Amino acid sequence: MPIIKNKSDENYDAADLLIDNGKLTASIHCLYYGAYQRAMYAMNKSGIGYEEQKENYTNYCSDLSVKKSSSKKLGSHEFLIKECIDLIKSKTDDDTLIYKMNRFFFYLKAYRKKADYENISISENDVKDCKQKATFLKKTIDAFIKNNFAI
C-alpha cells in the first residue's frame, strides 16, 4: 500500500481510537490529516508525485505575480487542497460536490487549529461533525481515484 495512503488510513483509525477513549481534542488533528493526506494521495495518483507537489508549491510562492499580488498567498495545505479540488472539478459538473469539498476541508482545518492551539474544549458534537466531514472527503476522494485512475 502506498505510504501516504497508509498514513491517511492510520490517521482515520487513530481518530476512532482517540474518540473511543475520550481524547476528543486529539482526534480532530487526526481527522484533518487523514483527509489532507488523502488529497496528497489523489494528486499522486493523477501523476503529480509527492516531490512535485512540494516543488509546485515552492514555485507558486516564488512566482513574481503571486509576490506582487495584493491577495494573500495560499499556505502549503491550502494550495494542495485547492489543486486537488480543481483536479476533481475538472472531471465533474457537480458544483455542489465541489462546494462541499471546499467547505469541509477548510472547516476541518479551522477546527484542527482550534483543537491544537486555542484554549477551548472540543465537544462530542464537534467531533461527530468533523468525523462526518472527514469521512465524506475520504469516500469522495477514494471514489474519484477509483473512477479515474488505475488502482
Side-chain angles (χ1 to χ4, degrees):
M1 177 180 289
I3 294 170
I4 293 292
K5 183 174 187 274
N6 188 43
K7 287 181 179 186
S8 173
D9 288 338
E10 282 185 18
N11 270 310
Y12 279 102
D13 292 345
D16 287 338
L17 290 170
L18 290 163
I19 293 164
D20 291 346
N21 287 285
K23 307 298 183 190
L24 304 181
T25 301
S27 72
I28 302 294
H29 178 92
C30 292
L31 290 168
Y32 169 73
Y33 278 102
Y36 178 76
Q37 290 161 335
R38 215 43 155 234
M40 291 176 67
Y41 178 64
M43 295 302 293
N44 185 65
K45 292 296 284 182
S46 79
I48 301 171
Y50 302 114
E51 287 302 315
E52 189 177 351
Q53 290 174 32
K54 284 192 283 187
E55 288 172 15
N56 283 350
Y57 175 67
T58 301
N59 292 338
Y60 169 80
C61 288
S62 299
D63 185 307
L64 287 177
S65 65
V66 173
K67 285 183 176 182
K68 292 179 181 180
S69 170
S70 61
S71 64
K72 185 180 173 193
K73 287 193 296 187
L74 295 175
S76 61
H77 285 206
E78 289 91 345
F79 182 78
L80 184 120
I81 291 166
K82 179 189 175 307
E83 291 295 304
C84 180
I85 291 173
D86 285 350
L87 173 67
I88 294 171
K89 185 177 182 178
S90 74
K91 306 279 187 183
T92 183
D93 292 329
D94 190 344
D95 291 336
T96 302
L97 174 72
I98 299 306
Y99 173 79
K100 280 177 77 171
M101 289 187 73
N102 265 309
R103 200 173 108 236
F104 287 8
F105 262 118
F106 291 107
Y107 182 92
L108 286 172
K109 183 166 186 183
Y111 251 90
R112 193 225 15 117
K113 286 181 177 181
K114 286 180 184 182
D116 286 351
Y117 305 120
E118 292 183 20
N119 189 29
I120 61 165
S121 295
I122 300 296
S123 72
E124 287 183 16
N125 283 338
D126 295 333
V127 171
K128 182 179 176 184
D129 195 33
C130 286
K131 185 173 179 180
Q132 178 266 326
K133 287 171 174 50
T135 300
F136 172 85
L137 289 168
K138 179 182 178 183
K139 287 180 179 179
T140 301
I141 292 169
D142 285 350
F144 173 77
I145 291 168
K146 181 180 178 185
N147 293 332
N148 292 280
F149 308 108
I151 296 179

